[in-house]
């Protein structure tokens, strides 16, 4: 589970060492949670410190999201981080490390999907039992859960899952996307 682009082990150790120098009293144990190890907390802190270029302990979410999008990394590598950043952006323009952990930890600790659990989620989305999910279904589900996603974000979600380019997501495409990405 990589938060940022893959880093060589010797580079990661240097980044973590730098993070520990900047915040000498940082204790990763303060942030360990079920499903998130101390090593992952250290990696998240290193990632946060790379994003926090001025070293003030807070990141500007708009700048960060723009920078991440401009890097052009493979979408799979940046997806958990981007979901966390966009979630935090809806709450404010800046975020500290604690907020960063709160946003990304659930994404890292999610259990692998079983076909039955995916089928239950599918039934919630395919409310009219059409055999596919489209923009309308996704928009309804998102709004019914109080989420505020733009039309562009919803289109991206459909396009990401839609393997045959039909504009609709079949159960097989939905399951393949979730089971393929479960190692993130």
């Amino acid at each position: 589970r990589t938060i940022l682009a893959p880093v060589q082990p010797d580079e990661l150790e240097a980044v973590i060492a730098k993070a520990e120098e900047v915040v000498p009293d940082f204790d990763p144990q303060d942030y360990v949670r079920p499903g998130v190890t101390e090593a992952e907390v250290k990696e998240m802190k290193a990632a946060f410190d790379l994003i926090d270029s001025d070293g003030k302990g807070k990141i500007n979410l708009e700048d960060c999201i723009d920078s991440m999008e401009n890097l052009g990394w493979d979408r799979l590598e940046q997806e958990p981080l981007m979901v966390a950043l966009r979630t935090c952006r809806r709450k404010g323009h800046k975020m500290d490390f604690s907020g960063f952990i709160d946003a990304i930890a659930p994404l890292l600790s999610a259990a692998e999907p079983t076909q039955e659990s995916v089928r239950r989620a599918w039934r919630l989305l395919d409310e009219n039992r059409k055999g596919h999910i489209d923009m309308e279904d996704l928009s309804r589900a998102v709004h019914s859960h109080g989420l505020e996603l733009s039309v562009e974000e919803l289109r991206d979600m459909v396009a990401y899952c839609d393997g045959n380019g039909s504009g609709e997501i079949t159960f097989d495409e939905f399951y393949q996307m979730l089971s393929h990405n479960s190692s993130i």
Side-chain angles (χ1 to χ4, degrees):
R1 296 183 294 190
T2 303
I3 297 168
L4 291 175
V7 176
Q8 298 300 318
D10 59 328
E11 293 173 335
L12 181 58
E13 290 174 17
V15 170
I16 290 171
K18 182 180 179 219
E20 290 171 347
E21 286 174 18
V22 173
V23 185
D25 59 342
F26 171 74
D27 183 2
Q29 284 299 316
D30 293 343
Y31 302 96
V32 171
R33 309 172 176 197
V36 180
T37 66
E38 181 176 337
E40 289 169 326
V41 170
K42 286 182 177 181
E43 184 182 350
M44 286 186 261
K45 179 66 171 142
F48 183 86
D49 288 344
L50 285 172
I51 297 167
D52 178 24
S53 58
D54 62 4
K56 293 185 178 178
K58 290 193 178 226
I59 57 175
N60 180 309
L61 295 165
E62 289 295 326
D63 291 346
C64 182
I65 290 169
D66 289 344
S67 296
M68 295 292 292
E69 288 173 344
N70 290 331
L71 288 174
W73 287 339
D74 180 359
R75 189 176 181 136
L76 294 178
E77 287 296 322
Q78 69 172 322
E79 195 61 31
L81 179 58
M82 291 301 286
V83 169
L85 292 172
R86 285 185 176 127
T87 299
C88 290
R89 183 181 62 190
R90 286 192 243 327
K91 297 176 184 172
H93 294 287
K94 295 203 178 248
M95 173 178 57
D96 63 9
F97 183 65
S98 180
F100 183 70
I101 288 282
D102 289 343
I104 203 163
L107 301 172
L108 296 177
S109 64
E112 279 203 35
T114 64
Q115 190 162 8
E116 183 53 37
S117 66
V118 173
R119 178 81 57 195
R120 284 192 304 270
W122 172 262
R123 287 183 193 125
L124 294 173
L125 295 170
D126 185 21
E127 192 173 85
N128 296 326
R129 304 295 184 252
K130 300 179 293 189
H132 64 269
I133 299 169
D134 55 25
M135 280 283 293
E136 183 181 325
D137 297 317
L138 191 55
S139 178
R140 178 188 37 74
V142 163
H143 293 304
S144 73
H145 287 86
L147 301 172
E148 296 179 24
L149 297 177
S150 69
V151 171
E152 180 181 309
E153 289 172 313
L154 293 172
R155 276 194 199 116
D156 286 347
M157 292 169 79
V158 170
Y160 182 74
C161 296
D162 182 16
N164 64 9
S166 66
E168 302 169 338
I169 304 166
T170 65
F171 175 76
D172 289 338
E173 290 170 328
F174 186 70
Y175 181 74
Q176 181 178 357
M177 185 273 309
L178 289 174
S179 61
H180 172 73
N181 290 334
S182 65
S183 63
I184 294 177

